Amino acid sequence: MAAAAKKWCERLDADTARSVLAGAEAVLFDCDGVLWRGEAAVPGAAEALRLLEAESPLGGKRLCYVTNNSSRTRAAYAEKLRRLGFPPAQPRQVFGSAHCAARYLSHALPPGGAAYVLGGAALSAELEAAGVAHLGAGPAPPPDSAHFGARAPLDPAVRAVLVGYDEHFSYGKLCLALRYLLREGCLLVATNRDHRLPLEGGSAVPGTGCLVKAVETAAEREAFVIGKPSQYIFECVASEFNIDPARTIMVGDRLDTDILMGNNCGLTTLLTLTGVSTLEEVQSHLESSCPERRKLVPDYYVDSLADLLPALKV
């Protein structure tokens, strides 16, 4: 699986897939746009994963799921995999940005420290499971409240601000986040930088990255980012399962998160065209002389995970 022996962005036909899969011991999957779209599994994806996990010449792979979505817990992802017909997965196989942020803060916070959270119930649940004291998740006090962000009493234990997906994001929360971040040594952590979340029919909604940018602008400093393309989220996988990057495949649908992380971490990268990024974008990066843009180019691509079936069924 040495990168030097492969072409940039080669179509993964059956023969090539057999060679690539034979050298792999673990396969990491992004979820939305790769395994499913909304509540519908990508055709052939569940069967491909079952064959990758089964005891067979090209099977026996460790499967893990790596997502930037901080609005679901690990357990919720495991349940969705089951519901959509994928191989049964344990929550410990799921590495969401919420869980990994909780993991990071459990080590980074000083003893007795707490986090002020811009996020929802899933992020709060993952922090609680990791034993991280926190406050702020959910709706904010209204502007006429004595606890509105600009004048709320500050909790002396807060030593970090964590920004995740927050449907209740408000000016009051931004005020309170800044007030905590003005404390010397207060950490600024973000689950991910995804600026836009695509919806069915070509529509989209703002992503967590928009909220992160607002907090960074107010605080006049950058956040430590947990999710892809940050290497930290892969380090969580590698430390949990002791996997070898040189024998690991990252499968994703986004060049700027999945593929960039995989390339930065020395993984074999596979783009599936069932989600966000297109071959036209890949071609544009290939033609660029910019080294940073070349990092967005995957080793291989498939139209969908169903393309792996001919190789896996032999």
Side-chain angles (χ1 to χ4, degrees):
M1 290 181 44
K6 298 181 297 188
K7 300 176 182 177
W8 279 113
C9 201
E10 179 182 352
R11 177 182 281 277
L12 199 64
D13 59 21
D15 289 339
T16 308
R18 291 185 191 103
S19 174
V20 172
L21 292 172
E25 63 181 13
V27 187
L28 314 184
F29 293 93
D30 180 47
C31 295
D32 192 53
V34 175
L35 304 180
W36 57 68
R37 287 174 291 211
E39 287 298 317
V42 170
E47 184 181 4
L49 267 63
R50 283 194 294 272
L51 292 170
L52 283 168
E53 196 173 54
E55 291 300 326
S56 65
L58 292 180
K61 313 302 184 192
R62 182 178 297 283
L63 307 185
C64 293
Y65 307 92
V66 185
T67 174
N68 278 359
N69 189 334
S70 66
S71 67
R72 290 178 184 263
T73 62
R74 304 176 100 183
Y77 267 97
E79 168 57 23
K80 184 167 185 177
L81 286 161
R82 183 203 63 77
R83 189 171 70 250
L84 296 184
F86 288 90
Q90 298 298 317
R92 70 188 294 256
Q93 293 173 254
V94 180
F95 294 84
S97 61
H99 164 74
C100 293
R103 183 175 180 145
Y104 175 79
L105 287 174
S106 70
H107 299 292
L109 280 171
Y116 175 66
V117 178
L118 290 84
L123 189 51
S124 180
E126 293 288 9
L127 290 166
E128 184 174 347
V132 177
H134 60 284
L135 63 151
D144 58 356
S145 166
H147 292 274
F148 182 67
R151 53 182 174 270
L154 298 180
D155 189 313
V158 170
R159 289 293 180 269
V161 170
L162 172 61
V163 187
Y165 181 74
D166 189 353
E167 293 179 334
H168 301 285
F169 186 81
S170 66
Y171 182 74
K173 286 193 172 188
L174 183 60
C175 287
L176 193 50
L178 173 57
R179 292 174 65 203
Y180 281 125
L181 288 167
L182 290 174
R183 287 179 169 173
E184 184 176 355
C186 186
L187 305 172
L188 175 55
V189 182
T191 59
N192 64 88
R193 287 195 186 277
D194 297 40
H195 290 149
R196 185 181 296 180
L197 305 177
L199 301 176
E200 296 290 336
S203 184
V205 294
T208 301
C210 299
L211 313 186
V212 175
K213 181 62 71 175
V215 177
E216 288 180 325
T217 301
E220 297 182 345
R221 58 185 168 108
E222 289 193 358
F224 177 80
V225 179
I226 299 295
K228 300 170 291 186
S230 170
Q231 295 187 36
Y232 179 78
I233 198 166
F234 173 70
E235 290 167 3
C236 291
V237 183
S239 64
E240 182 76 19
F241 290 110
N242 193 31
I243 63 176
D244 179 3
R247 301 191 66 194
T248 301
I249 301 171
M250 177 68 217
V251 185
D253 70 311
R254 295 184 69 134
L255 300 178
D256 60 347
T257 55
D258 308 316
I259 302 307
L260 180 56
M261 185 208 75
N263 287 340
N264 284 341
C265 294
L267 315 183
T268 297
T269 49
L270 173 61
L271 174 70
T272 176
L273 301 177
T274 48
V276 174
S277 295
T278 65
L279 278 183
E280 288 75 18
E281 293 174 65
V282 174
Q283 187 62 37
S284 175
H285 295 311
L286 272 171
E287 294 171 354
S288 172
S289 60
C290 174
E292 294 305 308
R293 290 187 63 184
R294 296 281 297 192
K295 292 179 182 178
L296 299 170
V297 177
D299 296 318
Y300 302 101
Y301 78 93
V302 289
D303 291 326
S304 80
L305 287 179
D307 290 3
L308 299 179
L309 294 176
L312 290 167
K313 286 182 175 180
V314 296

